[in-house]
Amino acid sequence: MYILQDSLFTLQELLEMESNDRFSIFFKELDLRPYAAMLKSKSPQGAQGHSREAILRALLIAPLEGYFTFTALHRRLDSDISFRYRCGFSLEDKAPSISTLSRTFRQLTDQGLLDQLFNDLVQRCWDEGIIDGTTIAIDSTAIDAYEKKRPKSRCQQKDEASWGAKRDSFGNLLTWFGYKAHLAVDTASELPVAIEVTPAHITDGEIGPSLVEKAAQSVSFTYVTGDAGYDQKRNYEVVKAHGAQAIIPLNLRNEKEPPSGFSSIGTPRCSMGYDMTYWGTDGSHLKFRCPHATGHVECPHGTTWCSPSNYGMVKKVDVDQDVRRFSQPHRGTRHWNETYKQRSSVERVNSRMKDHLTSDDLHVRKLKKVTTYIILNAIVLLASSLAAKRTIAQNAA
């Protein structure tokens, strides 16, 4: 069982708690004073001189409470004095206006403060052992735009929504107008460690390198796994540069035939044309043995065709000669397959952010604001996991 499976259930329990208990647990792990202090003085004050920290708390609790719009959040703050108090407003304070909430959100976006909070929480989860970091999974998910749909010919701006297409797990082609949220997720804890948001037409393979670089700023990892959409040499190279191994299926659609003497997955073939038997590693080399000697085929020439030894011919392949083709562990082995299966964790995180939080219902426009909105949802996951760990530890004490 992965490290934080219990905490994921605790997140569900957090959603089912009474608001007062939920707020206390959630905010206990968030010291927002340093971030609130960095907000420009004009952004949160408004006519009533509202607390910067209180507005920030309200914006962060909104995804957990299921509020998609500033209007809905304002109405709750205005009608529920207990909710307003729990967010940090004094009993005498009126609810911040819709324009105040919107203005604060915009300046959080302009100053990148939620990016900083997200990175700080990832670092805390890493330092406290919540994020394991052994394997990172990367993938993207479709985000429908709040903007009005436009024809492809008019989708020219880099910071605006565009048309995208992607196949689901059943092979069906899905199209949408909007954005892509690209996530790098720690597969053990199922927590995001890096996020990028792009217009929908940007391919996964293009964003892979920058997503890996972002993840490497916060955590150390041994493997990075992604689907065949990331099968580009630069993705393997950036993972290799961080001392890790990319676990990505080869996309063989445009490949006419494998290199001479090798199978499509990089297994060398003996002089009779049989795939040799993988026999472990030797430093940066993959070791392969004669398939007849290992009992995998019945060669009419036995081992004598290639080697005078009963051990059979041995071939070693340097993985560095083709970082895309060759992998440690070798492609097709149990270790490789089990590591690749962990890729599904990023799909579960995307589903959690859409089904339990609010990342699937945008009410902001333009790329920068959409990015901030997605990061808000990711912050909820990280803060909830920290709260879950603390609660479990206190209950066990």
Side-chain angles (χ1 to χ4, degrees):
M1 181 174 289
Y2 295 144
I3 292 174
L4 266 191
Q5 290 297 315
D6 288 341
S7 294
L8 298 178
F9 289 109
T10 304
L11 172 60
Q12 182 62 36
E13 292 172 359
L14 193 66
L15 292 168
E16 296 171 355
M17 287 180 180
E18 293 293 332
S19 292
N20 289 348
D21 295 332
R22 180 164 63 244
F23 293 173
S24 297
I25 292 173
F26 181 77
F27 284 128
K28 192 173 183 179
E29 295 305 315
L30 286 174
D31 182 5
L32 300 176
R33 290 172 296 181
Y35 309 96
M38 287 187 284
L39 280 169
K40 294 179 181 178
S41 60
K42 67 178 183 179
S43 65
Q45 294 298 328
Q48 301 299 322
H50 293 297
S51 163
R52 297 179 174 92
E53 185 179 354
I55 294 180
L56 186 51
R57 285 163 69 105
L59 290 171
L60 285 170
I61 204 67
L64 196 62
E65 292 293 291
Y67 294 123
F68 307 101
T69 66
F70 300 128
T71 300
L73 180 59
H74 165 75
R75 286 174 179 168
R76 175 70 185 277
L77 288 165
D78 190 47
S79 62
D80 188 341
I81 190 172
S82 176
F83 178 79
R84 195 159 69 242
Y85 179 73
R86 290 287 176 178
C87 287
F89 297 97
S90 69
L91 294 175
E92 295 79 19
D93 284 342
K94 292 183 178 180
S97 66
I98 297 170
S99 62
T100 298
L101 294 171
S102 177
R103 186 166 58 247
T104 304
F105 181 89
R106 184 177 66 250
Q107 295 201 341
L108 285 168
T109 300
D110 293 341
Q111 294 180 243
L113 291 182
L114 291 187
D115 297 65
Q116 183 175 336
L117 175 56
F118 171 81
N119 292 331
D120 290 346
L121 289 176
V122 170
Q123 189 64 55
R124 278 188 60 192
C125 288
W126 168 258
D127 292 340
E128 296 191 23
I130 297 174
I131 289 176
D132 173 70
T134 300
T135 303
I136 300 298
I138 57 177
D139 200 4
S140 69
T141 188
I143 303 293
D144 291 323
Y146 187 51
E147 294 97 318
K148 185 178 178 180
K149 293 179 180 178
R150 301 187 303 275
K152 288 185 179 180
S153 59
R154 294 177 55 194
C155 299
Q156 304 295 331
Q157 300 298 320
K158 294 182 179 180
D159 64 341
E160 293 183 348
S162 65
W163 287 96
K166 189 174 184 178
R167 295 193 181 277
D168 63 15
S169 55
F170 301 102
N172 301 311
L173 184 64
L174 306 177
T175 60
W176 75 99
F177 180 75
Y179 303 89
K180 271 186 182 179
H182 305 262
L183 265 64
V185 169
D186 172 54
T187 62
S189 62
E190 296 190 349
L191 290 174
V193 297
I195 295 175
E196 284 208 27
V197 181
T198 66
H201 71 278
I202 302 297
T203 64
D204 293 356
E206 291 180 69
I207 301 301
S210 59
L211 200 58
V212 170
E213 291 288 359
K214 277 190 173 183
Q217 292 175 10
S218 300
V219 302
S220 298
F221 42 81
T222 305
Y223 304 104
V224 175
T225 181
D227 62 27
Y230 294 95
D231 182 32
Q232 298 178 12
K233 188 175 180 180
R234 56 184 175 177
N235 285 311
Y236 295 91
E237 290 174 338
V238 71
V239 174
K240 187 77 172 179
H242 289 285
Q245 175 64 56
I247 306 295
I248 301 170
L250 292 172
N251 186 345
L252 301 176
R253 287 177 299 178
N254 298 321
E255 189 169 273
K256 296 181 180 179
E257 59 182 40
S260 177
F262 290 91
S263 71
S264 60
I265 64 170
T267 302
R269 288 176 169 149
C270 70
S271 54
M272 285 296 292
Y274 297 117
D275 285 358
M276 299 183 71
T277 303
Y278 175 63
W279 211 253
T281 61
D282 183 4
S284 64
H285 291 73
L286 305 175
K287 181 180 178 181
F288 298 88
R289 285 184 60 193
C290 167
H292 178 85
T294 60
H296 286 77
V297 299
E298 189 63 37
C299 179
H301 299 285
T303 60
T304 58
W305 181 271
C306 302
S307 171
S309 169
N310 290 334
Y311 191 78
M313 183 180 70
V314 174
K315 185 169 184 177
K316 294 183 179 181
V317 177
D318 186 352
V319 295
D320 292 333
Q321 75 180 65
D322 187 341
V323 293
R324 173 178 173 265
R325 181 79 55 182
F326 304 118
S327 168
Q328 286 183 310
H330 181 51
R331 294 179 180 278
T333 61
R334 181 178 178 181
H335 188 183
W336 194 98
N337 290 331
E338 288 181 348
T339 304
Y340 178 68
K341 286 179 181 178
Q342 296 181 42
R343 187 190 66 83
S344 60
S345 62
V346 70
E347 297 174 353
R348 288 190 289 274
V349 173
N350 281 325
S351 176
R352 210 164 283 134
M353 290 174 65
K354 288 184 172 184
D355 297 340
H356 295 294
L357 302 174
T358 63
S359 68
D360 203 28
D361 197 339
L362 292 182
H363 283 79
V364 292
R365 298 180 176 88
K366 299 288 187 176
L367 183 61
K368 289 182 67 175
K369 287 186 177 180
V370 173
T371 301
T372 298
Y373 189 81
I374 299 301
I375 289 175
L376 272 174
N377 284 265
I379 287 172
V380 171
L381 291 180
L382 293 165
S384 297
S385 295
L386 285 163
K389 181 186 178 184
R390 197 77 66 227
T391 301
I392 293 170
Q394 290 173 351
N395 292 340

